Amino acid sequence: MPYLIRSAWLLLALMFLAFGAEAQGSLRQRPLNPRQVRQLRLRPDGTPEFLNVNRLPYFYNKKALKAIQQAEKRHNYAQARTLLEQYVSQFGIENFYRDTNLLWRLGQLSERANQPEKAKAYYRLALKHHRQDIRKVQLYYDSLEQKETDFYVPLKEYYALVEYRKNIATFRPPKGVYTTMGSAINSDAPDYGPAITSDADLLIFSSKRKVRGLYSVVDEDLYLSRREGEYWSDAEPLPKPINSQYNEGSACLSKDGKTIFFARCECMECNGNCDLYTATLGANGEWSVPVSLGPQVNSKAWDSQPTLSPGGDTLYFASDRLGGFGMSDIWYTRKLKSGQWSAAENMGPIVNTRESEVSPFYHPLYHVLYFSSRGQLLNFGDFDIYKTYRVRGRWQEPKNIGPLVNGKGSEYYFTIDGDSKNLYYARSEEKDLKNLDLYSFPLPMEAQPLATTHVEGTLLDSLSNRPLNGIVSVIDTDNGIEVASKYLRDDGSFDFDLIEGSHYVLLIQSPDFFSVEKQLELKGDTVMKLMTNSINYGLPLIFKNIEFDQDKASIRASMYPVLDRIALFMVDHPDFRLSIEGHTDSRGNPEFNEKLSQDRAEAIRRYIEQKGKLKPNRIDSMGYGSTKPLKDEITEEDARTNRRVEFRIIKPEGSSDGGKDAGGGSGW
């Protein structure tokens, strides 16, 4: 850290020479009426507010910079941080890519002042908006906050886990696989931009399936499909005057479905490449002639992909106009009392990056905005879908909605039905990024607007107190909402954002220990510490409650929990084998004892095989009678020790150590 502070001071001094001049701009965003939209219980996450983003292109104050420089020279870092924070809060859009090192320096000073969340917020801004090589910044940030993509279980492995768990009657994750919306909607050409009514019975989307003219020029139009039971009707183009001789696409509907906003491109009346238009549905069921939102909203560049706030008073859209943060940004416009739309304003540096942000979608019930980005810090593929919450009028750091939706290709045009049950979106495969099709998917936990309650925990070995490795899954037992599984971190920790008031089961699986299950009724943010015994593959496992009635081989109900855990382990690890050995004390007839121990081992084998629906020949069972005592039988306790069942779990060849140094083999 001292090296970073010294080098940052040199960078800061150099940056003083690069500032430009001040300019004037427009007003910042007005928050929506809180009564119009359901409120979420959220805490601010440390993201700063920048009041000048839509007022000034660039902020510069020579006197203020000199004061910061002097505080740094005196090593008065507290004063330097306060002054620099005041300066940075007045940034205009150009400051973010011209003065990136000031953001980085402020992050360092915030970290020095023991403000880690604020520090990471400024580091993130530096990484999102830099236009030079700052690999050192990236490496340092990654050392503070590991990328969450590294902890998600790959989908193939995740779905394999789900399949294994179908074989046993216990808690298991749901399996909601994304599904294509079918040939009635999708064509061989790109299909994208879904908009759905609140009752999810009518779908409007964009398609490039039609061509026109001698040279087969693509004619992009809006299409409509209606839900008919479990299926969708064959898509039909919207009639004139919505579709025209020009290209139309990327529509959104008002809450009552009577107003449509969409993009029209390359038209004679267009202000730029693509402009935003609106039309209303008349009593006769016909749409009015579309009207442009005008030059206050539309630029001389590309303006498209609108989404309307629940109150109908703010329209968000994507634009690649000059004066933004990156290649394309999310902008917004407010509806004035006159019915006109205000001058478009930028959503700011938390949502927008130096790269591309597109296809915004405002949730119909909550202050949650979804959008696609290739410039945020946690992408699984090319474009990923993110969500951002607005807290006290301020947009918070966007969250990736996870690998159940975001793959290695591109995902766009996220749309949710009114009940937040299903999402509709366009996606492409990695090998053909431009060929989009429409898909639907049960809304997973990471995309749920109400998933704002934080659960974190740590799993440790009960003997050594060392952190354990494994896969942690969350099963929603109330709603069946799918939650992407994660690997435990190196320190044994995990965390999830879940829905308060719901019931969950935490399930942690590993070859190193028997599965850990914990039921949870979520009441506010939760921190937990879990303990379990590691499996020592070098020693047999002896369970205290595996005891039979005198001279009998029937499985007792008291044995079920232990045997079920073993069955579950065998289900979750299909390449592992199990050896069961039955032993008796030395009392009685040796031949009878040998047969009794064999019968008991066989009874346990049959129970585990039936419980886990295991394939045959994965379990060996053998009875040794009294031939392998652990103790000389001097006391009744010695005889009790010798009356036992030993389990040995056999790893497949080439598997890892399995944690044999972590714990003993008896006393379970």
Side-chain angles (χ1 to χ4, degrees):
M1 191 65 179
Y3 165 78
L4 289 170
I5 292 174
R6 289 195 300 270
S7 60
W9 163 244
L10 293 174
L11 290 171
L12 185 64
L14 291 172
M15 291 303 298
F16 291 156
L17 303 176
F19 295 123
E22 296 186 22
Q24 290 296 322
S26 58
L27 299 175
R28 68 187 180 98
Q29 180 179 1
R30 183 185 67 188
L32 293 179
N33 185 341
R35 291 175 296 180
Q36 295 175 331
V37 184
R38 296 186 193 176
Q39 298 299 293
L40 296 167
R41 292 179 59 187
L42 293 164
R43 298 176 308 279
D45 65 356
T47 55
E49 187 171 18
F50 299 97
L51 302 179
N52 281 344
V53 160
N54 287 295
R55 291 177 176 171
L56 304 175
Y58 187 76
F59 173 77
Y60 172 69
N61 187 311
K62 184 177 180 180
K63 183 178 179 181
L65 287 171
K66 187 175 181 180
I68 297 168
Q69 185 180 19
Q70 289 174 344
E72 289 268 12
K73 283 183 176 180
R74 295 193 302 269
H75 303 291
N76 189 342
Y77 297 117
Q79 184 185 27
R81 175 180 54 80
T82 299
L83 294 174
L84 186 54
E85 189 166 15
Q86 291 173 355
Y87 190 93
V88 166
S89 70
Q90 300 178 77
F91 269 16
I93 289 176
E94 292 180 18
N95 290 96
F96 286 87
Y97 61 83
R98 292 173 61 177
D99 299 341
T100 310
N101 287 322
L102 295 181
L103 296 169
W104 173 243
R105 179 60 180 149
L106 184 51
Q108 290 178 307
L109 291 172
S110 298
E111 188 176 3
R112 188 186 186 102
N114 198 27
Q115 298 176 340
E117 291 306 313
K118 186 175 286 188
K120 285 189 285 188
Y122 287 113
Y123 292 149
R124 286 193 296 262
L125 285 168
L127 291 171
K128 287 181 184 182
H129 296 285
H130 74 87
R131 297 193 183 180
Q132 291 126 9
D133 183 3
I134 53 170
R135 278 173 288 186
K136 289 183 179 179
V137 179
Q138 181 72 65
L139 289 171
Y140 181 71
Y141 177 77
D142 289 348
S143 72
L144 292 177
E145 187 164 281
Q146 293 174 286
K147 284 193 173 182
E148 201 65 19
T149 47
D150 299 336
F151 299 112
Y152 278 107
V153 174
L155 279 189
K156 185 177 180 180
E157 185 176 351
Y158 169 77
Y159 285 132
L161 286 172
V162 174
E163 287 301 312
Y164 295 147
R165 300 196 66 76
K166 286 183 177 179
N167 293 326
I168 193 162
T170 186
F171 302 109
R172 59 176 182 261
K175 182 181 178 183
V177 183
Y178 63 80
T179 55
T180 176
M181 296 192 71
S183 59
I185 290 177
N186 288 316
S187 68
D188 292 336
D191 303 289
Y192 48 94
I196 198 162
T197 53
S198 57
D199 57 7
D201 282 344
L202 186 147
L203 176 77
I204 295 176
F205 66 97
S206 311
S207 180
K208 292 183 177 180
R209 64 188 66 185
K210 182 181 173 185
V211 295
R212 63 173 181 260
L214 182 64
Y215 299 102
S216 298
V217 177
V218 171
D219 185 7
E220 182 181 8
D221 275 345
L222 289 167
Y223 288 77
L224 181 146
S225 177
R226 298 183 184 277
R227 186 188 294 275
E228 297 176 347
E230 296 182 2
Y231 303 96
W232 292 90
S233 66
D234 289 340
E236 300 177 356
L238 264 68
K240 294 181 179 181
I242 302 298
N243 285 329
S244 69
Q245 60 181 314
Y246 307 111
N247 289 331
E248 286 81 24
S250 301
C252 75
L253 296 168
S254 61
K255 198 170 184 178
D256 61 7
K258 294 182 179 180
T259 303
I260 187 171
F261 296 87
F262 64 96
R264 176 169 285 173
C265 303
E266 300 166 354
C267 63
M268 295 292 292
E269 301 82 11
C270 287
N271 192 46
N273 177 34
C274 290
D275 279 8
L276 296 174
Y277 279 74
T278 184
T280 56
L281 190 65
N284 59 359
E286 295 183 359
W287 290 102
S288 66
V289 175
V291 177
S292 170
L293 296 192
Q296 288 283 87
V297 177
N298 293 314
S299 69
K300 295 188 180 298
W302 171 82
D303 303 292
S304 186
Q305 304 171 348
T307 183
L308 197 61
S309 66
D313 60 351
T314 308
L315 189 75
Y316 297 82
F317 62 96
S319 177
D320 65 359
R321 66 186 64 192
L322 295 175
F325 287 95
M327 299 175 67
S328 62
D329 283 3
I330 309 297
W331 298 72
Y332 67 92
T333 175
R334 295 177 287 106
K335 195 170 188 178
L336 305 174
K337 291 182 179 180
S338 63
Q340 300 298 309
W341 292 91
S342 67
E345 299 184 47
N346 193 289
M347 277 197 69
I350 305 300
V351 169
N352 293 315
T353 70
R354 72 184 187 283
E355 264 284 355
S356 295
E357 279 68 44
V358 295
S359 62
F361 172 77
Y362 209 120
H363 194 280
L365 297 177
Y366 305 101
H367 285 307
V368 187
L369 187 81
Y370 301 82
F371 63 97
S372 293
S373 174
R374 68 190 323 182
Q376 300 292 333
L377 304 183
L378 182 64
N379 268 32
F380 292 93
D382 185 40
F383 275 89
D384 275 13
I385 297 171
Y386 288 78
K387 66 177 180 180
T388 177
Y389 292 89
R390 197 173 68 200
V391 183
R392 301 173 188 171
R394 186 180 308 175
W395 292 105
Q396 306 292 286
E397 180 64 21
K399 298 177 181 290
N400 191 299
I401 65 171
L404 294 180
V405 174
N406 292 317
K408 293 184 178 180
S410 289
E411 287 74 31
Y412 305 95
Y413 304 101
F414 181 94
T415 302
I416 307 175
D417 60 25
D419 295 328
S420 288
K421 296 292 185 183
N422 294 290
L423 65 90
Y424 304 85
Y425 68 117
R427 64 181 299 273
S428 66
E429 298 293 345
E430 184 180 15
K431 60 186 178 183
D432 190 4
L433 293 176
K434 293 184 178 180
N435 188 17
L436 294 166
D437 275 338
L438 290 172
Y439 288 79
S440 62
F441 189 89
L443 195 66
M445 187 64 69
E446 287 82 359
Q448 290 281 340
L450 293 178
T452 59
T453 301
H454 196 66
V455 175
E456 60 183 85
T458 305
L459 180 65
L460 303 174
D461 181 81
S462 57
L463 297 179
S464 67
N465 214 37
R466 294 177 181 174
L468 295 173
N469 297 317
I471 293 174
V472 56
S473 303
V474 175
I475 298 94
D476 183 332
T477 58
D478 286 343
N479 311 299
I481 295 174
E482 193 165 10
V483 189
S485 297
K486 296 179 180 179
Y487 295 111
L488 294 173
R489 298 185 181 92
D490 291 340
D491 62 358
S493 67
F494 61 88
D495 70 312
F496 293 89
D497 288 327
L498 305 174
I499 300 174
E500 186 171 19
S502 295
H503 294 78
Y504 299 94
V505 170
L506 291 176
L507 173 67
I508 308 178
Q509 301 156 273
S510 171
D512 297 341
F513 50 84
F514 289 108
S515 298
V516 176
E517 290 185 0
K518 180 177 178 59
Q519 298 190 47
L520 178 66
E521 181 181 359
L522 196 56
K523 297 179 179 178
D525 292 347
T526 302
V527 179
M528 64 185 71
K529 182 179 180 181
L530 304 175
M531 310 290 288
T532 192
N533 286 358
S534 297
I535 297 173
N536 187 329
Y537 287 93
L539 295 174
L541 302 173
I542 303 172
F543 299 94
K544 291 182 177 179
N545 58 345
I546 302 295
E547 291 188 350
F548 291 86
D549 292 329
Q550 182 74 30
D551 296 337
K552 292 184 179 180
S554 302
I555 302 294
R556 299 169 60 184
S558 60
M559 302 182 190
Y560 293 166
V562 169
L563 298 183
D564 288 351
R565 291 179 70 195
I566 298 173
L568 182 58
F569 184 92
M570 298 298 289
V571 168
D572 289 341
H573 303 89
D575 296 328
F576 282 58
R577 294 180 53 78
L578 178 66
S579 173
I580 304 171
E581 297 180 0
H583 302 270
T584 67
D585 57 33
S586 61
R587 301 171 186 177
N589 184 292
E591 292 183 1
F592 176 82
N593 285 343
E594 184 175 342
K595 184 178 184 303
L596 179 62
S597 64
Q598 180 69 45
D599 291 344
R600 288 173 172 176
E602 284 286 313
I604 291 174
R605 177 187 62 79
R606 287 193 298 270
Y607 179 91
I608 293 174
E609 284 182 344
Q610 292 171 4
K611 186 69 175 180
K613 300 179 182 178
L614 303 179
K615 293 179 180 179
N617 302 321
R618 286 187 61 194
I619 303 177
D620 298 322
S621 55
M622 181 65 68
Y624 291 97
S626 59
T627 61
K628 293 185 176 183
L630 294 177
K631 290 185 175 183
D632 293 333
E633 295 180 12
I634 299 173
T635 66
E636 173 57 32
E637 184 60 30
D638 295 335
R640 186 185 183 94
T641 299
N642 288 335
R643 295 192 299 268
R644 69 197 186 277
V645 176
E646 294 183 355
F647 299 86
R648 291 180 184 269
I649 296 175
I650 304 166
K651 296 181 296 181
E653 291 185 8
S655 63
S656 60
D657 175 73
K660 68 179 181 181
D661 296 329
S666 61
W668 290 70

